[in-house]
């Protein structure tokens, strides 16, 4: 017998070592030792010897048939050694020494010795088997020798889950027949007597050949013959056993059964290899198809987002001013809708796009594929640049809107002030040119002339008093021009008319004075009281007009301090009213005194005071007007004060909320930074912790919504500054968006680490060790290592990257792997990818090529029919559409090049 226990062990067979062998231990040796008792008597049992003769003869003929010969009697046909040597050449594929063709005994012995030497060279030690016994036709020794050959060349190489030889073959049978009822393979003798196990093996691999459900356990002869006939007809396995011998024997010969079953193993092993190769190709193609789908999704999402940015930026960069505040406020409302409705979904899309890109790159690295390079203009950096341009345009657009509203508000105020002052001035100048051109002094009496002179002096005083108003009108018109007031043309026309009229009045006034002074010597005294009245009434009248103008003047304030300043100025004005009232009474007293003197002296006055047009009725009327305007001004100032107090409340309300939300966002950003660096516990714990953290952040969103509502109230109230807080709504929005993006990116990094760990088989302890090493050299806790920090980290892990030529070259190679974009930084994800590639194995192009070669039957090309037969339909068509025609010298019509296709899967070119 043979002692078979390992590839480097030897085999022993001989009549005195039927069970345990010389080698002892392990594998087939153990099997032999366990069955020593019955196995020693095996070759002496005529029934078993008959089974072995038939089985071994059929097995030998199945191989000799390939050389065009066969044997009839296993005892006699091997005696000259010629067919024995031929058998060994066929089953080993090697050439034996040239046989001796003589008929003498010595020639036969020499030939048999050459065969036995070849068997011994294969690690099989034959005990008590010599060439003489074979030449003499010793049946026991001949059968033992053939069994040794079968063990070595048909059973030794069978290996299933680290078991080999008999154990491996038995395990293979058990696995294949496990799903079948009435089949329980425990050995190679009685477990096969009913024939169901043979039929189950065939049905498992070729179900179309056997109708297993119609077989009956109580009809073993039919079952056995059915299996033997199907195997011989369709599987090219010769009939090595007789059904009647197996059924008629209490315990069928184990060696015969093993020999026959091993033929089934070898017949089906090719199909198993093809199945394994097909599974590997399916796996590779599925990964490639999924990655291509992710790439297409990224390209589409990136294009949509960039197109939206391209359409939005010109709208934000439109700086065409509007003519009215209402039109500009509508623009501001449109901008608010953009901020609230249109932009937030795009922020989410941008964040999701970056997450998808990182996930895709991680999957490509894990599947040993080249990194995904988006098409030109759709890189993540292009999207970030476009987004930065968008936010810059957005910020500038908002500032421009607010400045334009302030400008238009200022313009409306100035335009109204211009119209009021111009109307007052035009009303004052009405008729002044005609008065100055009147030549009444030519026919006047002396007293009239003197009156006219004094009247003219009063007019000059009034004219000088109105000089300030004219200058104010011109200054307002100039400011309206500088602020680009839309109706500047009409303002300039009206202002120019006023200035031209003012110059004319000045010239006319000068001319009239000269005319009056020529005749002044001819005039006598004039009533001093009327003159004094005129001199005092004119300034007082002008003061009242200015007071009325100031009391009706529009005002615009933005702070409580400004309105309180106006109230203080108004109170100060009211404090002057008693003095003004006394001056009014004094002026009226002068007029009364003139009338009293004229009456007492019986002077007939011609009517009104010749020196002024300001009558006591006018003074009293304007004084009453001033008295009426004062409470109205009080009411207007009080309303504005109430408005500014409300605005101050809005400022403080917003500031109170912003001073809580702003620091909260900053604190969360810092906490996320610490979490991403420390990463305590398992990756799943870290992921759960981060997701809980993300939920707590999302739950904080109502506070931000409340702040948005308060900010809207502030903007509707046209409040432009807030001294109670340094936070603006823009700061809060940007911080919130950065917080959401940061926590999403951190979660994505942990998910990618889990994906890497699971795909590469990295343990939690290894992942923690990687994190500890990375954090140790990440001195600034920035989440990335610079080149020198990364080199120090590699040296600490045992990599030879010292500062010499060979070390620098190795370091540069590693840097090209972990930092393909040459950013000068190595992220923790890139560090994990590198370490996992250094410690684990992945599919390679050579492995895929080898798998295709198996499907192609060891050819250098494969056909579409073979792909459709071995692969699922969708993946077969995927390969056919992408494989180039094979150009080799052995090409046939329809031949496809699977080598270039496999190389492209792992290369830089696109399929």
């Amino acid at each position: 017998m043979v002692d078979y226990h390992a590839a480097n062990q030897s085999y022993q067979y001989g009549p005195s070592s039927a069970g345990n062998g010389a080698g002892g231990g392990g594998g087939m040796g153990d099997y032999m030792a366990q069955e020593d008792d019955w196995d020693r008597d095996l070759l002496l049992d005529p029934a078993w010897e008959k089974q072995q003769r038939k089985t071994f003869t059929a097995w030998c003929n199945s191989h000799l048939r390939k050389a065009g010969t066969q044997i009839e009697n296993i005892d006699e046909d091997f005696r000259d050694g010629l067919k024995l040597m031929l058998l060994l050449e066929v089953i080993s594929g090697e050439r034996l020494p040239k046989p001796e063709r003589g008929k003498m005994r010595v020639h036969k012995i020499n030939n048999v010795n050459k065969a036995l030497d070849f068997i011994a060279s294969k690690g099989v030690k034959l005990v008590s088997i010599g060439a003489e016994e074979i030449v003499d036709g010793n049946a026991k020794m001949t059968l033992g020798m053939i069994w040794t050959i079968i063990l070595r060349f048909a059973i030794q190489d069978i290996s299933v889950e680290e078991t080999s030889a008999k154990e491996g073959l038995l395990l293979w049978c058990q696995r294949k027949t496990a799903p079948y009822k009435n089949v329980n393979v425990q050995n190679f003798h009685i477990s096969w007597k009913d024939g169901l196990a043979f039929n189950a093996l065939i049905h498992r691999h070729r179900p179309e050949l056997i109708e297993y459900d119609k077989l009956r356990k109580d009809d073993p002869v039919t079952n056995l013959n059915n299996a033997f006939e199907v195997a011989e007809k369709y599987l090219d396995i010769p009939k090595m056993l007789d059904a009647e011998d197996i059924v008629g024997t209490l315990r069928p010969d184990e060696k015969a059964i093993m020999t026959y079953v091993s033929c089934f193993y070898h017949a089906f092993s090719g199909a198993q290899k093809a199945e394994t190769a097909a599974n590997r190709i399916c796996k590779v193609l599925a990964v490639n198809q999924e990655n291509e789908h992710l790439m297409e999704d990224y390209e589409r999402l990136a294009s949509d987002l960039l197109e939206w940015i391209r359409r939005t930026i010109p709208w934000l960069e439109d700086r065409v001013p509007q003519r009215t505040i209402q039109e500009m406020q509508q623009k501001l409302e449109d901008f608010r809708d953009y901020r609230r409705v249109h932009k937030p979904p795009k922020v989410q899309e941008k964040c999701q796009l970056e997450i998808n890109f990182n996930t895709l790159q991680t999957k490509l690295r894990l599947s040993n594929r080249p990194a995904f390079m988006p098409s030109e203009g759709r890189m993540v950096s292009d999207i970030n640049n476009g987004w930065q341009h968008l936010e810059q345009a957005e910020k500038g657009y908002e500032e421009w809107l607010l400045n334009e509203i302030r400008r238009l508000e200022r313009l409306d105020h100035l335009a109204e002030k211009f119209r009021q002052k111009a109307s007052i001035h035009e009303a004052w100048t009405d008729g002044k040119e005609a008065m100055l051109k009147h030549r009444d002094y030519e026919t006047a009496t002396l007293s009239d002339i003197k009156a006219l002179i004094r009247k003219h002096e009063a007019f000059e005083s009034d004219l000088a008093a109105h000089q300030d108003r004219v200058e104010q009108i011109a200054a307002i018109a100039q400011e309206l021009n500088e602020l680009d007031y839309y109706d500047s043309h009409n303002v300039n026309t009206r202002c120019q008319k006023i200035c031209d009229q003012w110059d004319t009045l000045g010239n006319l006034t000068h001319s009239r004075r000269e005319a009056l002074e020529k005749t002044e010597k001819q005039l006598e005294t004039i009533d001093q009281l009327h003159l004094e009245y005129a001199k005092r009434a004119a300034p007082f009248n002008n003061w009242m007009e200015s007071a009325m103008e100031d009391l009706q003047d529009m005002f615009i304030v933005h702070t409580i301090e400004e309105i309180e300043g106006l109230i203080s100025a108004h109170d100060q004005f009211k404090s002057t009213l008693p003095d003004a009232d006394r001056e009014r009474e004094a002026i009226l007293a002068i007029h009364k005194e003139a009338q009293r003197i004229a009456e007492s002296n019986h002077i007939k006055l011609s009517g009104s005071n010749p020196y002024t047009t300001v009558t006591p009725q006018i003074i009293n009327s304007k004084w009453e007007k001033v008295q009426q305007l004062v409470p109205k001004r009080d009411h207007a100032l009080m309303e504005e004060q109430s408005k500014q107090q409300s605005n101050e409340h809005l400022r403080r309300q917003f500031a109170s909320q912003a001073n809580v939300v702003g620091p909260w966002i900053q604190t969360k950003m810092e906490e996320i930074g610490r979490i991403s660096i420390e990463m305590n516990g398992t990756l799943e714990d870290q992921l759960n912790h981060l997701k809980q953290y993300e939920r707590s952040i999302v739950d904080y969103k109502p506070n931000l919504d409340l702040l948005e509502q308060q900010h809207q109230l502030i903007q509707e109230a046209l409040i432009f500054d807030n001294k109670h807080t340094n936070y603006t709504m823009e700061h809060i929005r940007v911080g919130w968006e950065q917080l959401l993006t940061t926590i999403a990116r951190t979660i994505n990094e942990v998910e990618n680490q889990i994906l890497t760990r699971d795909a590469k088989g990295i343990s939690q302890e290894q992942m923690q060790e990687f994190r500890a090493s990375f954090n140790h050299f990440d001195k600034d806790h920035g989440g990335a290592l610079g080149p020198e920090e990364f080199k120090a980290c590699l040296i600490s892990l045992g990599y030879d990257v010292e500062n010499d030529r060979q070390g620098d070259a190795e370091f540069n190679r590693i840097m090209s792997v972990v930092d393909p974009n040459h950013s000068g930084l190595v992220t923790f994800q890139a560090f994990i990818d590198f370490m996992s590639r250094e410690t684990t194995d992945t599919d390679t192009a050579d492995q895929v090529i080898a798998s295709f070669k198996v499907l192609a039957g060891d050819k250098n090309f494969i056909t579409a029919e073979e792909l459709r037969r071995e692969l699922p339909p969708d993946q077969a068509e995927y390969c056919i559409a992408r494989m180039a025609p094979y150009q080799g010298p052995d090409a046939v019509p329809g031949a496809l090049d699977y080598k270039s296709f496999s190389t492209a899967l792992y290369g830089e070119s696109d399929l």
Side-chain angles (χ1 to χ4, degrees), residues 517-571:
E517 287 176 349
K518 285 182 180 180
T519 60
E520 186 178 9
K521 292 181 181 180
Q522 303 171 5
L523 302 176
E524 295 187 352
T525 60
I526 195 157
D527 192 347
Q528 292 297 322
L529 290 173
H530 280 182
L531 180 60
E532 183 179 1
Y533 174 89
K535 288 184 177 181
R536 295 180 66 175
F540 185 75
N541 180 64
N542 189 54
W543 175 85
M544 287 191 296
E545 288 180 350
S546 297
M548 288 189 294
E549 181 180 347
D550 292 338
L551 289 171
Q552 297 178 85
D553 187 21
M554 294 179 62
F555 57 85
I556 179 170
V557 294
H558 297 96
T559 65
I560 191 69
E561 291 79 8
E562 291 177 357
I563 188 60
E564 288 176 353
L566 290 178
I567 293 174
S568 176
H570 183 63
D571 291 339

Side-chain angles (χ1 to χ4, degrees), residues 444-480:
T445 63
L446 181 61
S447 59
D448 292 333
I449 292 297
K450 289 186 176 182
L452 291 174
I453 291 174
R454 287 171 173 76
K455 182 180 180 181
H456 189 70
E457 291 175 349
F459 173 78
E460 287 180 329
S461 296
D462 201 10
L463 185 68
H466 278 78
Q467 178 67 35
D468 290 340
R469 182 178 290 113
V470 174
E471 292 175 355
Q472 290 175 5
I473 290 173
I476 293 173
Q478 178 64 28
E479 188 171 0
L480 287 171

Side-chain angles (χ1 to χ4, degrees), residues 286-351:
V287 170
N288 212 62
Q289 289 172 317
E290 180 184 6
N291 292 340
E292 287 182 357
H293 178 68
L294 291 175
M295 293 174 190
E296 292 170 358
D297 286 348
Y298 174 86
E299 291 284 342
R300 176 179 55 78
L301 292 175
S303 298
D304 292 346
L305 183 59
L306 287 170
E307 177 61 20
W308 178 81
I309 293 174
R310 185 190 64 77
R311 294 196 312 267
T312 305
I313 287 178
W315 175 69
L316 294 173
E317 291 179 344
D318 180 18
R319 300 292 193 272
V320 178
Q322 303 298 313
R323 298 175 62 179
T324 64
I325 291 182
Q326 290 74 20
E327 292 174 324
M328 289 305 298
Q329 286 178 336
Q330 182 58 47
K331 276 184 169 288
L332 182 61
E333 186 61 31
D334 293 342
F335 181 71
R336 290 185 188 136
D337 287 341
Y338 157 78
R339 276 272 184 78
R340 292 193 301 264
V341 178
H342 302 291
K343 185 182 178 184
K346 299 302 178 182
V347 172
Q348 182 62 31
E349 287 180 16
K350 176 178 177 291
C351 178

Side-chain angles (χ1 to χ4, degrees), residues 25 143 167 186 216 225 308 330 338 408 525 528 539 548 557 569 586 597 622 632 675 728 800 802 825 862 892:
L143 291 175
E167 286 79 6
Q186 298 296 325
R216 303 199 328 267
N225 285 329
W308 178 81
Q330 182 58 47
Y338 157 78
L408 291 174
T525 60
Q528 292 297 322
M548 288 189 294
V557 294
I597 293 174
K622 291 185 177 180
K632 291 182 179 179
I675 291 173
T728 65
D800 185 13
E802 295 291 343
L825 294 174
I862 194 167
V892 299

Side-chain angles (χ1 to χ4, degrees), residues 648-666:
E648 183 68 7
H649 173 70
L650 291 176
R651 288 189 184 95
R652 293 181 181 274
Q653 181 177 271
F654 176 85
S656 175
Q657 184 71 5
N659 289 336
V660 173
V661 174
W664 184 88
I665 292 176
Q666 182 63 32

Side-chain angles (χ1 to χ4, degrees), residues 457-708:
E457 291 175 349
F459 173 78
E460 287 180 329
S461 296
D462 201 10
L463 185 68
H466 278 78
Q467 178 67 35
D468 290 340
R469 182 178 290 113
V470 174
E471 292 175 355
Q472 290 175 5
I473 290 173
I476 293 173
Q478 178 64 28
E479 188 171 0
L480 287 171
N481 278 296
E482 292 174 353
L483 293 175
D484 196 23
Y485 182 55
Y486 76 94
D487 199 21
S488 294
H489 174 72
N490 291 332
V491 170
N492 291 337
T493 301
R494 191 173 184 182
C495 181
Q496 188 61 45
K497 182 180 178 181
I498 290 172
C499 292
D500 292 343
Q501 185 185 40
W502 185 256
D503 292 338
T504 301
L505 287 177
N507 294 332
L508 291 173
T509 300
H510 181 68
S511 300
R512 184 173 178 82
R513 168 170 279 284
E514 289 180 346
L516 290 173
E517 287 176 349
K518 285 182 180 180
T519 60
E520 186 178 9
K521 292 181 181 180
Q522 303 171 5
L523 302 176
E524 295 187 352
T525 60
I526 195 157
D527 192 347
Q528 292 297 322
L529 290 173
H530 280 182
L531 180 60
E532 183 179 1
Y533 174 89
K535 288 184 177 181
R536 295 180 66 175
F540 185 75
N541 180 64
N542 189 54
W543 175 85
M544 287 191 296
E545 288 180 350
S546 297
M548 288 189 294
E549 181 180 347
D550 292 338
L551 289 171
Q552 297 178 85
D553 187 21
M554 294 179 62
F555 57 85
I556 179 170
V557 294
H558 297 96
T559 65
I560 191 69
E561 291 79 8
E562 291 177 357
I563 188 60
E564 288 176 353
L566 290 178
I567 293 174
S568 176
H570 183 63
D571 291 339
Q572 185 177 0
F573 166 76
K574 289 194 294 184
S575 68
T576 64
L577 290 179
D579 292 337
D581 190 39
R582 285 189 291 272
E583 177 65 9
R584 180 184 66 83
E585 290 176 354
I587 293 172
L588 294 177
I590 292 173
H591 178 73
K592 291 178 182 179
E593 181 64 15
Q595 287 184 332
R596 188 188 65 74
I597 293 174
E599 290 174 359
S600 62
N601 291 286
H602 305 287
I603 299 174
K604 186 177 180 181
L605 300 177
S606 59
S608 61
N609 192 324
Y611 307 116
T612 181
T613 58
V614 181
T615 65
Q617 292 78 14
I618 293 175
I619 291 176
N620 286 331
S621 174
K622 291 185 177 180
W623 178 257
E624 290 176 1
K625 182 66 174 178
V626 169
Q627 293 295 101
Q628 293 172 1
L629 291 175
V630 167
K632 291 182 179 179
R633 184 73 168 184
D634 288 335
H635 180 69
L637 290 172
M638 291 301 104
E639 283 186 344
E640 184 63 28
Q641 185 182 37
S642 175
K643 176 184 175 183
Q644 291 303 323
Q645 288 173 345
S646 175
N647 290 351
E648 183 68 7
H649 173 70
L650 291 176
R651 288 189 184 95
R652 293 181 181 274
Q653 181 177 271
F654 176 85
S656 175
Q657 184 71 5
N659 289 336
V660 173
V661 174
W664 184 88
I665 292 176
Q666 182 63 32
T667 300
K668 295 301 177 183
M669 289 289 290
E670 294 172 355
E671 291 177 359
I672 292 173
R674 289 195 299 270
I675 291 173
S676 65
I677 292 174
E678 296 171 356
M679 291 297 181
N680 296 322
T682 66
L683 290 177
E684 284 76 12
D685 293 340
Q686 297 167 20
L687 183 61
N688 291 334
H689 179 55
L690 285 171
K691 288 186 176 179
Q692 291 175 0
Y693 206 85
E694 183 183 39
R695 287 193 292 273
S696 70
I697 291 174
V698 173
D699 292 340
Y700 197 76
K701 183 65 165 54
N703 296 282
L704 199 72
D705 295 338
L706 175 62
L707 199 61
E708 286 281 6

Side-chain angles (χ1 to χ4, degrees), residues 36-76:
D36 187 82
D37 293 339
W38 63 266
D39 201 25
R40 183 174 293 109
D41 298 329
L42 170 62
L43 296 179
L44 302 178
D45 189 314
W48 287 7
E49 182 177 345
K50 177 183 178 183
Q51 292 177 17
Q52 286 189 16
R53 283 179 179 276
K54 182 176 180 59
T55 301
F56 290 177
T57 299
W59 183 87
C60 291
N61 284 335
S62 69
H63 293 286
L64 288 173
R65 186 168 61 243
K66 300 174 185 178
T69 186
Q70 63 180 8
I71 62 173
E72 297 295 333
N73 189 325
I74 198 170
D75 298 340
E76 297 296 325

Side-chain angles (χ1 to χ4, degrees), residues 266-284:
H266 291 294
F268 293 134
S269 63
Q272 186 173 1
K273 291 179 181 178
E275 180 183 358
T276 302
N279 290 337
R280 177 182 291 274
I281 292 173
C282 291
K283 174 185 173 185
V284 171

